[in-house]
Amino acid sequence: MKWQKLLLSKLQERNGKKIALAVDTSTKQANTLLIQNIIKLFGEVAPQSLLVQADFKIRKITSIKEDQISYYTHGKSSYTEVLEWADQEKIDTLFYITDVTGYFYEELKVNNEIFWLVPDEFLPKVPFGKAIRVA
C-alpha cells in the first residue's frame, strides 16, 4: 500500500476525532512541495485539524487551511513542547512531519496516538508511536 493511501485511511478512520498535524520547521532542506501536499490532504479530509509549526519551540498554531510555512536554518528540533501541547489540548491523534532527529524529555508521558511522517528514504526507529515513510 502506498503511503498516500495509508495516510488517507488513517485520517478517515479518525473522523470526528481531534487531530493535529505538526511540521518540523527546523531546516530548509525539507521537501516543501511534499509537505504542502500533505497539508492539503489534511485540509480536504480532516478540515477541523490544527496545524502546528515547530522547531525547538512552537512557532505557530493555526487552522489546517493555513498555507504559509516558515522554515529555519538552525537545524535544532525538539518535540517536547508540541507533545506537551497535544496532551494539554487533548489531541487524539498527532501526525508529525519530521526526520525524527529532534529530541524530547525522556520523562515525558505521551498519552496521544502519534504518527511520525518521515519525508526521507531512510526510516529511523521512532521512540514511540508509528512511523510512516512519506517519500
Side-chain angles (χ1 to χ4, degrees):
M1 177 183 279
K2 288 190 173 240
W3 69 263
Q4 295 94 333
K5 287 182 182 177
L6 178 60
L7 184 55
L8 178 61
S9 72
K10 297 293 181 197
L11 286 172
Q12 290 171 332
E13 290 167 5
R14 284 148 188 83
N15 187 24
K17 301 264 184 177
K18 198 166 182 185
I19 297 172
L21 173 64
V23 178
D24 179 354
T25 59
S26 65
T27 179
K28 290 184 178 182
Q29 302 293 322
N31 181 340
T32 56
L33 180 59
L34 173 67
I35 293 170
Q36 284 304 123
N37 286 334
I38 292 171
I39 293 169
K40 189 181 291 185
L41 175 68
F42 272 74
E44 291 172 7
V45 178
Q48 75 287 0
S49 300
L50 295 172
L51 177 63
V52 181
Q53 297 181 49
D55 46 28
F56 58 86
K57 65 180 183 176
I58 293 176
R59 298 284 183 168
K60 196 179 207 183
I61 300 172
T62 61
S63 157
I64 199 69
K65 299 294 184 177
E66 172 73 39
D67 62 355
Q68 290 291 358
I69 305 286
S70 299
Y71 294 95
Y72 301 89
T73 58
H74 52 71
K76 296 177 189 162
S77 182
S78 170
Y79 307 127
T80 302
E81 198 170 316
V82 173
L83 294 170
E84 289 175 338
W85 169 85
D87 189 50
Q88 290 168 356
E89 293 297 315
K90 298 187 178 2
I91 300 295
D92 295 308
T93 305
L94 176 66
F95 293 85
Y96 211 129
I97 302 173
T98 181
D99 58 6
V100 198
T101 60
Y103 62 92
F104 61 93
Y105 294 125
E106 290 193 25
E107 305 83 39
L108 186 68
K109 300 277 188 250
V110 177
N111 301 311
N112 326 69
E113 181 179 42
I114 309 283
F115 288 98
W116 304 93
L117 306 179
V118 183
D120 197 348
E121 292 299 320
F122 173 70
L123 187 63
K125 184 174 190 263
V126 294
F128 44 80
K130 297 176 183 134
I132 300 173
R133 187 170 59 84
V134 293

